[in-house]
Every structure is written in C-alpha cells, then in structure tokens.
Amino acid sequence: DGWDDEGEGGGVVLDSASDEHVNYELMESFEIDPDGGGEPEQPNVYAATNLKDGVLGCLEELQATAKGYVSSNFTDPSTPKHHKLNSLLLLPFTALRFASVPLTAPEEYGRGSLFLSTLCWPFWVEFYALWEHDTVLGWGTIFFMHASAAVAALLVARHCPVRRGDDPLSPPMVFAVPLAILGFVIAATWIDFVADQLVAALQYVGVVLHIPSAVLGLTVLAWGNSVGDLSTNISMAKRGLGNMSITACFAGPVFNFLVGLGVGLHLLANKSGVSSVSITFGPAIWAGLAFMLLNCVMILAAGLVRGEGFIPKEYAYLSLAIYVVYLLTCLGLEFGGV
C-alpha cells in the first residue's frame, strides 16, 4: 500500500530512522525517549520520506476516506434507508466542510483530510466574503491566500504523520496550533453562514404564514441566531468542559453587547456621517434586561448557596421556567395585554 515496514515507497518507520537530524525531529514530534534506546511510544506512526510520496500518500488516504464514507452511508446493507436519504441530502455540505475546515484534534485528524482542507480553505473564504458581505477580494489577497495555503498543504503532506490503525493521532505542534486557529476561524464563518440562511428561511416562513414580526423576533428568529452558540456550548458540556461551556454562555452575550453593538454603531456612524444615533428601549428590552439579571442572580445563588460551588442539575429546569416566563411576559408586552 505504499507504507511498508522497510520505510520504502513513501513512508519511514520511526524507530528505523538513522539520520541524527531526523531522529531529533521525530523525538520532538512524537515524544521518543532519547534515553530509552530511541523506541517510539507510537510504533505505528509513519511519515513521508519526500514531498512527492507525501502528496501521493494524501491522495490515497482521501480516496480511501471517500470509499469508506460511501460504504458506511450508502452501500452497506445494514444502513437504514432514512439514514441514506439524510446522508445524500447532507452530502454537498459535508463535502464542503470536509474540504474547507482544517481539523487537528486527535479524534478528527487525518493527514489526507488536513492536506485537502489546508489547500482549499481560500475558496470558501472567497465565497463567504462574496455571499455574506458582498465583497470581492482583491487579486493580491487571493494570490496570497492560495500561495500560503499551497505551501502549508505541501508541508502537511511532507511532515505530518499517518498511522496504521484507529488510535487517535495529532500532527506536530508546529502544524497543529496555527491550523487549529485557522480551523476555528473557518468554522466560525460556517456557523455565521448557516445561521444567516436559517434566519432567512424562518423569515420566509413567517411571511408566508403571516406570523407577526414581534412573535418571530422573540421566538424563532432569536432561536435561529443562537443556534451556533447552543450547539457549541452543548458540545463542550458533553466533552466534560462544563466551566468553559458556562463561561461561554455569559461571554457570548457580553461580546455581542460590547463589541458587536459597539462596532456596528461605529460602522453605521461612519457610513451615514452622523455622530449619534437615537435608540429607544421598549418594554420588551427592559423585560429582557430584568430577566437576564434575575438569571445571573439565580445562578449565583444556586451555585454558591445550594451547590457549594457547583451548579446543580435541577437548575436546568428552573432556567427553562424563567425563559418561558420571560417569553410570555414579552409577548404580553408586545401585544399590549400586560
């Protein structure tokens, strides 16, 4: 398969490397103990011996990944029909995300997929800038993005490892850190894009069904704008990062209030040529601020008094109850019934 145990045909076994510089690089990347005879902790990890073999190896991995995806989602007789239909409908978006978002986490890492996403992310940025912001990037910017992406992708193909087996693996830190940051930025643009399309679809449904704008704004539009944060926070909580998830719940609105509102008003002032903008706080906004304050106080009380430093599970029900009361209050204020 091009990755034999002799280190020929595009791969090299880590513990068979003889060059001193290569040994030092492998020790740096894969934590080989220099005092333990050079035996690697990850004996099934391989790296390409040259650039050509690395690129060819990435292409072979991508081909194998595509065959595995088709087999598990479409040709496997045990796959339910509804799952096949769902996979077929999601295939364009799945392929685009796969080709544009670099993933370096051990559970998600693959040298072929990282090579492809590192090479192709500029195409997504160009589309995102044009679709979401009506901006056509300059030729200089486009050339710089594609040139840097091509160089980075070739470095990934040459120096990033590939493993036989299913054990988790991640690229060396010199690649993992910048590519993880890049992947975070690209993923944020994806969330923004999907959220905007969801909000547009909900607005269309509201117009067709003659749902009042006040109801849309308080319900489905507000939920649509929060889908990205909701999915991210739930994902972090499931991974055991409870503190990070709770912090993000509060840091997100603070960022929106201070940075989003501040930058938005600044851009509006520069575009319109005015030095001030008149803003009216309606009853629903004051009610929202009051319920936000109530929620903060209740979280502190639940965590410090009842939970002794931990937020009890039962608070989830109280939080949902507070939101339902807030929603009913705002709807009553909007329609003049309260």
Side-chain angles (χ1 to χ4, degrees):
D1 58 0
W3 296 96
D4 53 35
D5 293 337
E6 302 299 325
E8 300 173 354
V12 56
V13 184
L14 297 187
D15 58 357
S16 66
S18 57
D19 184 82
E20 180 179 358
H21 174 71
V22 174
N23 280 333
Y24 175 80
E25 181 180 3
L26 295 177
M27 287 162 52
E28 178 80 15
S29 301
F30 303 108
E31 301 179 353
I32 299 176
D33 183 9
D35 299 325
E39 288 296 327
E41 295 182 5
Q42 302 175 349
N44 293 323
V45 177
Y46 293 76
T49 56
N50 56 65
L51 181 59
K52 178 182 177 181
D53 291 334
V55 173
L56 292 177
C58 288
L59 296 179
E60 291 177 359
E61 293 174 39
L62 287 172
Q63 184 179 10
T65 301
K67 290 181 178 179
Y69 181 84
V70 172
S71 175
S72 61
N73 291 279
F74 299 106
T75 61
D76 189 349
S78 62
T79 303
K81 292 183 178 180
H82 70 274
H83 180 81
K84 293 181 179 180
L85 178 60
N86 184 62
S87 299
L88 181 62
L89 295 176
L90 292 177
L91 182 58
F93 305 99
T94 302
L96 286 173
R97 290 198 307 270
F98 181 82
S100 61
V101 182
L103 299 175
T104 60
E107 299 83 3
E108 305 289 343
Y109 168 74
R111 190 188 58 164
S113 61
L114 187 62
F115 168 80
L116 179 64
S117 58
T118 304
L119 181 64
C120 295
W121 67 264
F123 293 105
W124 166 255
V125 171
E126 295 165 24
F127 168 79
Y128 173 78
L130 180 61
W131 184 276
E132 290 290 320
H133 302 284
D134 295 325
T135 300
V136 179
L137 301 180
W139 287 109
T141 303
I142 293 176
F143 174 79
F144 173 78
M145 288 195 306
H146 282 280
S148 59
V151 172
L154 292 176
L155 290 174
V156 167
R158 171 61 181 86
H159 295 287
C160 283
V162 58
R163 179 200 295 276
R164 291 179 178 177
D166 299 327
D167 295 332
L169 177 66
S170 59
M173 291 299 295
V174 67
F175 295 104
V177 173
L179 290 179
I181 296 175
L182 174 64
F184 174 81
V185 174
I186 300 298
T189 63
W190 266 100
I191 292 174
D192 182 46
F193 171 76
V194 173
D196 281 351
Q197 305 315 306
L198 177 60
V199 170
L202 293 175
Q203 288 177 328
Y204 173 78
V205 171
V207 172
V208 172
L209 300 179
H210 302 287
I211 300 176
S213 59
V215 177
L216 281 177
L218 287 171
T219 55
V220 290
L221 294 183
W223 302 335
N225 281 328
S226 303
V227 164
D229 293 337
L230 176 65
S231 61
T232 302
N233 294 339
I234 291 178
S235 177
M236 288 189 295
K238 287 182 177 179
R239 290 174 177 265
L241 304 175
N243 288 338
M244 184 182 297
S245 178
I246 291 294
T247 303
C249 289
F250 289 91
V254 170
F255 180 87
N256 290 335
F257 275 125
L258 301 181
V259 178
L261 188 60
V263 172
L265 291 176
H266 176 72
L267 295 177
L268 175 64
N270 288 340
K271 184 177 181 179
S272 60
V274 298
S275 58
S276 62
V277 178
S278 177
I279 298 177
T280 302
F281 285 88
I285 296 180
W286 286 112
L289 293 175
F291 276 93
M292 285 177 59
L293 179 60
L294 173 63
N295 185 51
C296 293
V297 173
M298 294 301 296
I299 286 181
L300 289 175
L304 297 179
V305 178
R306 176 178 173 80
E308 298 181 353
F310 297 91
I311 299 177
K313 182 174 62 176
E314 293 77 10
Y315 181 78
Y317 302 105
L318 177 60
S319 180
L320 291 175
I322 292 176
Y323 179 74
V324 171
V325 174
Y326 155 73
L327 197 60
L328 295 176
T329 302
C330 289
L331 288 175
L333 291 173
E334 286 291 339
F335 291 103
V338 176

